[in-house]
Amino acid sequence: MTLDLEAPPWSAPAVGTAARPIRPRRLRRTPALRALVRETRLHPSMLVAPLFVHPGSGRSEPIQSMPGQARLTPDLAAQEAARLADLGVGGILLFGLPEEKDAIGSGASADDGIVQDALRRIRALELPLVTIADTCLCEYTDHGHCGPLAVDGSVDNDAALTRLAATAVSQARAGADLVAPSAMMDGQVAAIRAALDAAGFEQTAIMAYASKHASAFYGPFREAADSAPAFGDRRGYQMDPPNGREALREMSLDVAEGADILLVKPALPGLDLVAAARARFDLPIAAYQVSGEFAMIEAAAERGWLDRRRATTEAVTAIVRAGASIVITYAAADLATWIRDER
Ligand code: PBG
């Protein structure tokens, strides 16, 4: 096409006409062009790997519903943390399976508890990753609910606050950089912040599970952590999945109570909330690709129905595209390896 240098620019054919069609495909032509215009990139340092810790030593027990994941004793959890740090993974999130359970979840706040033990061993390695402790009671109560029960069988919110605060303090004492309250008790962030400050842990940050829905996608986790409720369900404290405005209200409350990071869970079923959280708040936004989201991809990949690497990468990239700068995912080690291989 020859340019008519005499013609003023406003006489050029309008875009989208036959003479000057819009061609977005120009920037998709080669891998190099696609890389140049890529809007979202994953980095290992934004990934957090959950670890399940059980008692004993030298014992790794595969989790059936979560291929490639295992319950690890504290010594093996420390080894795994070192491997993850080597891969450049940003953090680990610890869950514990205690030796014994009771009505108030005493094991959660025990200074020699399972997560505390693992934290101390990991801290001793001085690894360049962030140690995060899930602060909840459901793995430690004999009834499997996230707090002590009231006489009517419901979870006693304010009794749970005392227990959660004690748990967070013991986790901080054992070396957690971040505590991550996931019980969905009203006022849990404020209670934990006050207790941490009173105990001298004003530098321990809180990653609040601010938006946590009563999701079907936690199924495999409850097997992994042996934390399924013995009766009833969690709908009396976790949010009803259809509610989004309520999720934003929960986030505002957690910001006001002193949260340092806001977490949305589950991630893909809550992608609208990840985007809304990013737009509304100026704290780091984390999202948890939960056990069921992971297991779906694994199960389909096992059958040859999905390409595991591509599906995993696409799902986690979508979570970041929506606005999360931290992603908790069981695929953290694999993703870190894949990201490294790409270079
Ligand atoms: C503890 C907790 C749960 C998960 C994270 N913290 C279980 C639940 O709420 O039932 C789920 C994580 C996952 O599914 O991967 N309250």
Side-chain angles (χ1 to χ4, degrees), residues 50 52 66 93 95 134 136-139 146 182-183 209 212 217-222 227 229 234 238 265 288-292 330:
F52 297 99
M66 298 171 70
L93 172 61
F95 294 95
D134 186 84
C136 195
L137 304 171
C138 59
E139 297 120 57
C146 301
S182 65
Y209 285 72
K212 176 168 175 178
F217 291 97
Y218 308 153
F221 172 94
R222 292 181 186 172
S227 67
R234 303 209 203 289
Q238 298 180 354
K265 172 182 172 195
Y288 196 149
Q289 184 191 43
V290 299
S291 56
Y330 299 97

